[in-house]
Amino acid sequence: MTRRHTLSATAALATCLVTLTACSSGGGRPAAEASAAPNAEKPTTMTVAFITHGAPGDTYWDIVKKGAEDAARNDGVELQYSSDPDGAGQANLVKQAVDKKVDGIAVSLAKPEAMSANVKAAVAAGVPVVALNAGDQQWRSLGALAFFGQDEKIAGQEAGGRLKSEGASKVLCVIHEQGNVGHEARCDGVSAGFPGTEKLYVNGADMGDVQSKITAKLQQDTGISHVITLGAPFAMTAISSIQTSGSKTKLVTFDLNKELVDQIKAGKVEWAVDQQPYLQGYLSVESLYLTKTNGNVVGGGRPVLTGPAFVDAANVDKVAEFAAAGKR
């Protein structure tokens, strides 16, 4: 299976800009000074509020945060990370950031209706805003400068198409956060690629609920050939559900973490749809830094795509070491 590489040239360029280091072809600078310079602490250039809908225990957001922190360290940015899975609570975090007079805001838009007024107010107050992860269809209307993530419906269609090509007969798409526009778009996309898809809603904040509902569904409907989850922690729980139910259902998922990579290696998860969360965090901070220091706007008014790409048995070893480092 050929791995897909969909990261846009714009994203790649932005990444390259922050990895370049000064070098000399013969200036006679002492070796100790030259080697120490890249690690010297940089003066603070700006403050960025990084506000997500991440829920406690969702390791996806640990990877996003790692990318944001690395970019902030490279650019001398003071990063203020906060999250709230409740739309109104996340919107209030945006308001608080504006009140603190931050220099930029990076925000996920899983529940854009709840976020709309406060994001627009931030833009009206002159605070540059970029969006990431969720809200790929809504970010422009809210006034954000850029979006870093994947087109969730297209990602779902790619997953559904692969399930069809692999001979799936019935697919169960597990949604762990009701009201999340990205999750709905993923499952709608899976259904578009493979019409024999059914949604199952679970409470992602309660893994006991996740496990019991998946188990019960598999026991009730023995025709389900594949379960697709929308996050690595939920795939890990689905493994237990499949074992408990005695089902021979195959498991696939969106998103990665170290544990999920191990399960792909072990053959308990067939494949994962990777949207490269580290890049979403890194590029969001980097783009705000470039806007403030050089007047740049990344993306040219189009989303900067970080996915989708498939990780399976054929290429999992290539990403394993990066997953172990908390970057994939």
Side-chain angles (χ1 to χ4, degrees):
M1 190 63 62
T2 301
R3 185 181 175 187
R4 304 175 191 273
H5 297 280
T6 56
L7 175 61
S8 73
T10 304
L13 176 60
T15 306
C16 290
L17 287 172
V18 298
T19 58
L20 295 175
T21 55
C23 60
S24 171
S25 60
R29 206 164 118 196
E33 180 186 351
S35 62
N39 297 319
E41 184 174 346
K42 295 186 177 181
T44 300
T45 57
M46 63 186 299
T47 300
V48 169
F50 202 101
I51 303 167
T52 78
H53 64 278
D58 190 340
T59 54
Y60 177 91
W61 294 103
D62 294 337
I63 305 173
V64 173
K65 186 179 179 182
K66 173 64 175 171
E69 289 173 340
D70 283 356
R73 187 178 305 108
N74 287 343
D75 294 332
V77 171
E78 180 186 336
L79 188 70
Q80 299 178 354
Y81 183 93
S82 60
S83 66
D84 194 324
D86 176 69
Q90 189 189 7
N92 189 52
L93 292 174
V94 172
K95 182 180 183 303
Q96 291 174 13
V98 175
D99 291 342
K100 292 178 182 176
K101 301 186 184 305
V102 299
D103 298 298
I105 296 174
V107 62
S108 61
L109 300 172
K111 297 171 182 174
E113 290 187 4
M115 303 296 295
S116 178
N118 285 9
V119 171
K120 288 180 178 179
V123 174
V127 181
V129 176
V130 299
L132 68 142
N133 179 257
D136 58 284
Q137 301 300 312
Q138 296 85 7
W139 62 277
R140 292 185 193 87
S141 64
L142 272 58
L145 295 174
F147 175 82
F148 302 96
Q150 67 183 0
D151 184 313
E152 298 289 17
K153 189 167 185 179
I154 289 177
Q157 288 172 340
E158 292 290 327
R162 179 162 179 168
L163 287 166
K164 182 178 181 179
S165 71
E166 292 177 347
S169 57
K170 185 173 183 179
V171 175
L172 185 68
C173 191
V174 182
I175 296 180
H176 61 267
E177 184 181 340
Q178 292 194 43
N180 185 318
V181 294
H183 290 184
E184 293 290 345
R186 284 183 184 181
C187 282
D188 288 344
V190 173
S191 183
F194 181 81
T197 299
E198 179 182 344
K199 293 178 182 178
L200 176 69
Y201 292 91
V202 299
N203 180 5
D206 180 356
M207 282 299 183
D209 180 79
V210 176
Q211 181 170 346
S212 64
K213 285 183 177 175
I214 296 176
T215 301
K217 186 64 178 178
L218 292 177
Q219 290 173 334
Q220 171 196 342
D221 189 347
T222 58
I224 296 171
S225 64
H226 290 75
V227 170
I228 183 166
T229 57
L230 304 186
F234 310 99
M236 301 300 293
T237 297
I239 291 173
S240 298
S241 294
I242 292 170
Q243 293 172 339
T244 300
S245 67
S247 173
K248 294 184 179 180
T249 299
K250 294 182 179 181
L251 177 62
V252 298
T253 190
F254 284 81
D255 300 337
L256 289 172
N257 62 15
K258 178 184 180 300
E259 291 73 25
L260 197 283
V261 164
D262 291 339
Q263 295 307 314
I264 292 176
K265 286 184 174 183
K268 293 184 178 180
V269 177
E270 300 294 308
W271 43 261
V273 182
D274 181 26
Q275 61 175 311
Q276 302 185 102
Y278 180 90
L279 271 184
Q280 293 177 13
Y282 196 104
L283 294 176
S284 294
V285 173
E286 178 66 11
S287 68
L288 288 168
Y289 169 78
L290 290 171
T291 295
K292 179 171 178 62
T293 61
N294 206 48
N296 297 127
V297 176
V298 176
R302 295 183 178 274
V304 178
L305 300 180
T306 64
F310 289 106
V311 176
D312 55 24
N315 60 15
V316 67
D317 288 337
K318 295 180 181 178
V319 303
E321 65 174 297
F322 305 115
K327 294 186 176 184
R328 291 295 295 269

